[in-house]
Amino acid sequence: VSFYTWTNNKTGIGLAASGTGSIGVFTAKNSTTKPDTATIQVTPSYTNNLPGYPVVTCAGDPKSFKLIVYPTPPNGITGDSSTCPGTLNTFKAPQGLSYYNWSVVGNGIISGPSTLDSVVILSHSKCGSYTLTLTTTDSLACSGSSSKLVSIVDNTPPEIIKDTSSVELGCNPSSSTVNAGLGTATAFDNCGLV
């Protein structure tokens, strides 16, 4: 019977400290900004259990190999966390990566390309929110993703701005005199014209 045992000197990469048989699938981890290297040592063994002979296990010469886990590429999203309804907003990613993919779910749509290091989002004309997600890949084919929740809010009461001209209404004014006396007015809030 032949079998293998193995050891790992750096469990921080997401692989167990030791095992028997094949190294199974694992999720590699690297929370640093530099490559993290683990040394894996594999030792073959043979157990002789033929009838009539004593059971003997012999270990072979161990062999080692390096396992390098590269860091996740930088992946933060910069941009405002709140916006006015119906406005265009630009969000940025770290520059210099090989691949960018932006997506949005909720009350916003991508306006323009979604595969550059920045993206423009058009917020819905009503209040609400949207979630912006960015996936990046670096030159080593390592990828990462992040998300940002953006609230669409209009929290400033409108202010009415009226021209300052005035007209004497007199007694029992006609509707045209009243309209002339009121002049024109517009309402603005922090998001623009209401």
Side-chain angles (χ1 to χ4, degrees):
V1 176
S2 296
F3 62 95
Y4 298 90
T5 57
W6 54 267
T7 59
N8 165 27
N9 73 333
K10 198 170 270 189
T11 58
I13 66 165
L15 179 64
S18 62
T20 302
S22 298
I23 297 174
V25 175
F26 70 99
T27 300
K29 298 176 185 175
N30 183 345
S31 58
T32 72
T33 58
K34 296 181 180 177
D36 200 3
T37 304
T39 301
I40 313 300
Q41 182 172 291
V42 181
T43 303
S45 295
Y46 175 78
T47 299
N48 178 9
N49 57 0
L50 292 173
Y53 296 95
V55 175
V56 176
T57 299
C58 299
D61 293 331
K63 299 291 182 186
S64 296
F65 64 91
K66 305 273 186 202
L67 186 59
I68 302 171
V69 179
Y70 292 97
T72 300
N75 196 275
I77 299 173
T78 58
D80 292 334
S81 295
S82 66
T83 184
C84 292
T87 57
L88 292 171
N89 300 278
T90 301
F91 297 90
K92 296 182 178 182
Q95 294 182 339
L97 299 172
S98 300
Y99 172 79
Y100 299 89
N101 186 42
W102 298 88
S103 62
V104 65
V105 174
N107 294 331
I109 58 170
I110 295 175
S111 177
S114 63
T115 56
L116 302 176
D117 61 3
S118 65
V119 69
V120 176
I121 304 295
L122 173 62
S123 61
H124 192 274
S125 61
K126 303 289 184 193
C127 293
S129 66
Y130 57 86
T131 300
L132 181 61
T133 301
L134 168 65
T135 302
T136 57
T137 303
D138 65 12
S139 61
L140 298 169
C142 295
S143 63
S145 66
S146 61
S147 295
K148 183 178 188 83
L149 177 66
V150 179
S151 299
I152 304 170
V153 294
D154 186 0
N155 55 11
T156 301
E159 177 183 339
I160 296 177
I161 301 171
K162 178 192 169 305
D163 68 18
T164 58
S165 65
S166 62
V167 172
E168 182 66 42
L169 295 177
C171 292
N172 298 318
S174 66
S175 61
S176 61
T177 305
V178 172
N179 289 340
L182 295 176
T184 58
T186 53
F188 287 89
D189 63 12
N190 66 329
C191 294
L193 181 65
V194 175

